[in-house]
Amino acid sequence: IPTMSQKKIGNFQLQIPFYPEDQNAVVKFLDAKCAEIDALTADIQSQIDTLEQYKRSVITEAVTKGLNRDVEMKESGIEWAEQIPAHWRTMHNKYLMHKVKEICPVYNGEDILSLTMQGVIVRDFELGGKMPASFDGYQIIHPGNLLMCLFDYDVTPRCIGYINNEGLASPAYSQFVMEPIADAHYYYYYYLMLDFTKELLHLAKNLRHSFTEEQLGEINTVVPPVNEQREIAGYLDKKVAIIDEAISLKN
């Protein structure tokens, strides 16, 4: 274990101002400068937090209220949606999507994809991290489907992702294919809204805070006409990209 003895520390050669008044001047300068930088940092972080909240509100408003503010509304009967456009329907998830799992018995160099805060991304092995002994037995995932994490729901930062790339992912994830009445891109944003607040945590059981595809299937969900779903998803793609760019610049 690397250690540092008191003797070695005592023998360090330090460059310091000789006169105490010079040392005090440096201290006063740094106190003022660091306070100024800390205040700027806090202000920028506050702006980032505000942008994040704005992004959440934009997504929530679009996926539950649509883009036309002049339509007649009705009660949805869904706690997190409240009122929805009168021509929208509600139905159980099991009528909107179904789970698929296609196992790749032998790994042949396919891209390995992970569900992250940045989406479903190709894993960069050069960055290190935990690795399985083998990728044999991973599941094949296809572009246009949804990838969900239904375990460790309370602590997993992001539990929903839209798949853009062909590749392999952990078999612990759940991959869903959408039915013709449901657009995957719209429901990605819908479940992202729920993921922001961990709205489905009440379903999670056991020490791993997990729930089943069957439980997910029984949840009542908002169903706009599919053309509206696509319109909303396209609008959110552009709006979220602008907000994310602003957040990136401030970071």
Side-chain angles (χ1 to χ4, degrees), residues 131-172:
M131 293 281 190
S134 169
F135 295 114
D136 295 349
Y138 263 42
Q139 66 171 316
I140 302 170
I141 62 174
H142 302 285
N145 293 341
L146 295 182
L147 196 64
M148 299 184 74
C149 178
L150 302 182
F151 59 91
D152 293 338
Y153 188 74
D154 58 329
V155 295
T156 302
R158 183 63 70 241
C159 292
I160 178 68
Y162 180 85
I163 304 171
N164 288 297
N165 305 90
E166 192 86 21
L168 303 180
S170 167

Side-chain angles (χ1 to χ4, degrees), residues 49-59 239 243:
D49 293 342
T50 299
L51 284 167
E52 288 285 2
Q53 288 299 321
Y54 175 56
K55 179 169 72 173
R56 294 185 182 193
S57 69
V58 166
I59 292 171
K239 194 76 172 177
I243 299 170

Side-chain angles (χ1 to χ4, degrees), residues 38-243:
D38 287 344
L40 285 170
T41 302
D43 182 55
I44 293 170
Q45 186 58 55
S46 176
Q47 294 174 37
I48 290 171
D49 293 342
T50 299
L51 284 167
E52 288 285 2
Q53 288 299 321
Y54 175 56
K55 179 169 72 173
R56 294 185 182 193
S57 69
V58 166
I59 292 171
T60 299
E61 191 76 10
V63 298
T64 61
K65 303 292 184 286
L67 304 181
N68 184 354
R69 295 293 176 266
D70 296 326
V71 298
E72 182 184 350
M73 306 296 283
K74 68 178 180 182
E75 293 297 327
S76 68
I78 300 173
E79 180 181 350
W80 51 80
E82 298 178 347
Q83 288 198 326
I84 61 174
H87 64 286
W88 289 16
R89 294 183 291 168
T90 62
M91 62 179 65
H92 294 304
N93 273 333
K94 61 186 176 183
Y95 301 118
L96 302 174
M97 59 189 187
H98 63 273
K99 181 184 175 182
V100 293
K101 181 165 282 188
E102 182 183 355
I103 297 298
C104 176
V106 180
Y107 176 60
N108 290 305
E110 295 90 347
D111 284 336
I112 302 298
L113 294 105
S114 296
L115 180 56
T116 72
M117 290 291 287
Q118 288 72 46
V120 182
I121 62 173
V122 178
R123 187 165 181 177
D124 186 348
F125 294 125
E126 293 184 1
L127 297 178
K130 294 175 65 176
M131 293 281 190
S134 169
F135 295 114
D136 295 349
Y138 263 42
Q139 66 171 316
I140 302 170
I141 62 174
H142 302 285
N145 293 341
L146 295 182
L147 196 64
M148 299 184 74
C149 178
L150 302 182
F151 59 91
D152 293 338
Y153 188 74
D154 58 329
V155 295
T156 302
R158 183 63 70 241
C159 292
I160 178 68
Y162 180 85
I163 304 171
N164 288 297
N165 305 90
E166 192 86 21
L168 303 180
S170 167
Y173 292 137
S174 299
Q175 180 181 191
F176 291 96
V177 176
M178 309 309 291
E179 304 298 342
I181 61 170
D183 179 76
H185 219 159
Y186 167 83
Y187 283 100
Y188 158 70
Y189 283 115
Y190 184 87
Y191 281 102
L192 187 61
M193 171 190 72
L194 300 182
D195 202 30
F196 284 143
T197 56
K198 298 299 179 188
E199 197 71 48
L200 304 182
L201 188 58
H202 67 281
L203 293 178
K205 309 294 182 184
N206 63 47
L207 292 175
R208 295 294 301 273
H209 286 90
S210 59
F211 54 96
T212 65
E213 292 83 9
E214 289 74 22
Q215 287 174 303
L216 183 68
E218 290 300 320
I219 295 173
N220 212 23
T221 304
V222 174
V223 188
V226 71
N227 62 311
E228 268 191 73
Q229 294 177 31
R230 296 187 182 116
E231 185 181 1
I232 291 167
Y235 163 80
L236 287 175
D237 282 346
K238 296 174 183 176
K239 194 76 172 177
V240 168
I242 293 170
I243 299 170

